[in-house]
Amino acid sequence: MNERKEIQTYLKDAVITVEEALKSVLPADWDVPQRLRDSMMYSLEAGGKRIRPALVLAAAEAVNGDEQASAQALSVACAVECIHTYSLVHDDLPALDNDDYRRGKLTNHKVYGEAMAILAGDALLTHAFHLIPQTVSSGVPAQTALAISSDLAMLAGARGMVGGQVADVLGEQGITSISELEYIHLHKTSDLIVFAVTSGARVGGASEQQLELLRQYGRNVGLAFQIQDDILDLIGDEAKLGKKTNSDVAQQKVTYPYLLGIEESKAEVERLTQEAKAAVLDARLAEPLRLLEIADYLLNREY
Ligand code: GRG
């Protein structure tokens, strides 16, 4: 009998698969200015947990029950990592967070300059929409690819991640309630995680009812992920995180730990994780285990 992989091994294997695919994500025969190609690949290949692409692959397999479904979802997994990487490159710019280090390396603008970092981010964002239709050549119906593109435009754009980032920028220092903070995190962080889970689920052939329950999973996992991020910024290990801690305090950011304290924030992460897992169980997926394990893995993460 096949031994079932530990979740750590499953995620490491997903990272290897995704990183191999990312190497050739920008076709070698495209006539792209070399410095733009270098700047895009510098950030795409800088490492990171690759949790969003792993969720795409895991959701496809969870819904379909066949490992083959995650292979069909690989170009969508690369697309979500392009979007996530662009958001980090732009977020690190002097006009936003002005950070020097990301994923343990100098930020993109520190290596390539601000103009190139802005343009590399723009190109990564655009490239995601080139990758999604590629699922069709691996057997995914064109209607499904269209729905995935439409979801991405909504969840990464003005109504999603960018909208959340804008609310964060406009609200700086003025936020006083958990509900204001929740709005920011639900869009800035959860929406791309919702996209990752539901796009994989669409490739796996999910029903509307399953998609709705997986949206709930994504929202809760995303919120828990962000609160954990804020906790790690206060009490995490800089070497493991690959960036400086206490940046939220230095920037006088209002966070969950600031409003609730560390212990109550930890309890909230635990509660949201349980809710996420309950939604997955309600969805009656063919193989729900990996999505349940990923929620627990993120609950206990140290970086
Ligand atoms: C549209 C410019 C723009 C920004 C969007 C993603 C984002 C908002 C800002 C980046 C800063 C930040 C802390 C965002 C919250 C989401 C988050 C915790 C990102 C970090 O994701 P990880 O931990 O990063 O998955 P790795 O490096 O592991 O990929």
Side-chain angles (χ1 to χ4, degrees), residues 47-52 81 84 86-88 90-92 96-97 102-103 156 161-162 165 188-189 225-226 229 243 301 303:
K49 294 178 286 299
R50 314 294 193 190
I51 200 69
R52 295 160 190 78
E81 194 62 13
H84 172 57
Y86 118 74
S87 79
L88 300 179
H90 280 189
D91 191 64
D92 290 335
L96 288 165
D97 267 5
R102 165 74 65 184
R103 295 170 163 173
M161 182 182 73
V162 174
Q165 178 74 356
K188 182 172 142 174
T189 309
F225 186 84
Q226 181 60 57
D229 217 61
K243 60 179 182 183
R301 76 189 172 102
Y303 63 96

Side-chain angles (χ1 to χ4, degrees), residues 168 171-175 233 246-255 258:
D168 194 6
E172 267 165 24
Q173 277 105 54
I175 297 162
D233 189 65
N246 284 307
S247 70
D248 293 338
V249 178
Q251 293 178 68
Q252 297 181 302
K253 280 209 163 182
V254 176
T255 63
Y258 175 87

